Amino acid sequence: MANKKYVWIKVEGNEDKSITYHDEDGNKLTRYLDPKAKNPPRGTKSWRHQNPGNINHGDFSRRHGEIGFACYPSPYDPKKKICFAIFPDYETGRLAFAALLRTERFIDLTLNQFPRFYTGLLKDSLPDTNEVIEYRKNLRIISKFDMERKIRSFTGEEYEKLLDAIQRCEGWYPGDEKLEPAPDKIVGVKFLKHK
């Protein structure tokens, strides 16, 4: 079973912020948040959701393979919730993330502009938040790219490196997970010599 490729078709969120994936055969995989781990964090939201870009739940994520979503209180307004897509595997989440940056909303942004729009600070009249300043600094250090380059200018291997850098800025840190295989099922009975 170690080499088996599971196809997760639905998910459920648990009170401890862990996420449990289910396949059609009854196998389960639970990914856990470790609230005690700080540097680096372990079992972060993007990893638990198989969503390396922390894409919000919505029409775009549904069109790109989302199988569920989880909502958390907004850090800006505790009365509001932000919902993030959950994908069936890392590859699907990564492809969705790669497609998102190629949309009209992001493709013509420079790397300096990107953190403002990606974190939701859309009005030019508002000053950068601490989150935006930190994100921009981390993106520059991790990617080592010219921050005045537009996302449109990245192709091939450079584009993959940009995705890797943003994934790190989004806090992708693996944690603990537990696979629970489904109990063996009797699929048929054969009689031998009338027994």
Side-chain angles (χ1 to χ4, degrees):
M1 264 183 116
N3 294 330
K4 178 175 174 160
K5 171 84 169 135
Y6 296 94
V7 179
W8 308 117
I9 58 171
K10 66 177 186 171
V11 294
E12 63 183 339
N14 307 306
E15 284 188 27
D16 62 358
K17 295 188 180 173
S18 64
I19 301 291
T20 302
Y21 294 81
H22 301 266
D23 74 1
E24 64 182 10
D25 296 324
N27 299 298
K28 296 193 289 189
L29 174 74
T30 302
R31 287 188 157 189
Y32 297 95
L33 165 69
D34 182 350
K36 296 179 195 143
K38 300 293 181 211
N39 291 312
R42 285 175 48 77
T44 56
K45 178 174 62 235
S46 60
W47 174 78
R48 293 192 317 275
H49 297 175
Q50 305 202 78
N51 182 352
N54 275 329
I55 298 171
N56 288 351
H57 159 68
D59 290 339
F60 180 88
S61 59
R62 283 191 291 268
R63 286 194 313 271
H64 287 82
E66 170 191 294
I67 59 171
F69 61 93
C71 300
Y72 302 88
S74 167
Y76 309 112
D77 183 353
K79 294 177 187 169
K80 292 184 179 177
K81 291 191 180 273
I82 301 174
C83 299
F84 295 92
I86 301 175
F87 293 100
D89 51 49
Y90 174 80
E91 293 77 18
T92 304
R94 174 82 172 208
L95 287 171
F97 175 37
L100 180 66
L101 295 192
R102 293 282 188 216
T103 62
E104 189 177 309
R105 184 175 177 198
F106 297 110
I107 196 162
D108 284 317
L109 295 177
T110 67
L111 297 189
N112 266 326
Q113 294 169 321
F114 174 77
R116 285 182 63 90
F117 283 81
Y118 206 65
T119 61
L121 190 63
L122 303 177
K123 294 181 182 172
D124 286 337
S125 59
L126 296 174
D128 285 346
T129 62
N130 288 338
E131 179 186 17
V132 169
I133 293 167
E134 191 68 19
Y135 200 118
R136 188 178 289 128
K137 180 181 99 176
N138 289 337
L139 185 56
R140 186 185 74 249
I141 291 168
I142 294 166
S143 74
K144 298 181 176 44
F145 288 130
D146 175 354
M147 295 296 283
E148 290 307 314
R149 282 185 68 180
K150 290 187 175 183
I151 291 173
R152 178 183 297 281
S153 73
F154 292 89
T155 58
E157 193 176 312
E158 272 195 326
Y159 190 57
E160 293 302 319
K161 286 181 180 176
L162 177 61
L163 294 176
D164 289 342
I166 296 170
Q167 175 178 310
R168 283 187 55 196
C169 290
E170 286 296 316
W172 177 278
Y173 289 102
D176 295 324
E177 62 183 27
K178 179 181 178 187
L179 177 65
E180 296 177 61
D184 291 333
K185 296 178 184 175
I186 297 174
V187 293
V189 176
K190 183 176 181 181
F191 289 94
L192 299 174
K193 295 185 182 179
H194 306 293
K195 293 184 181 177

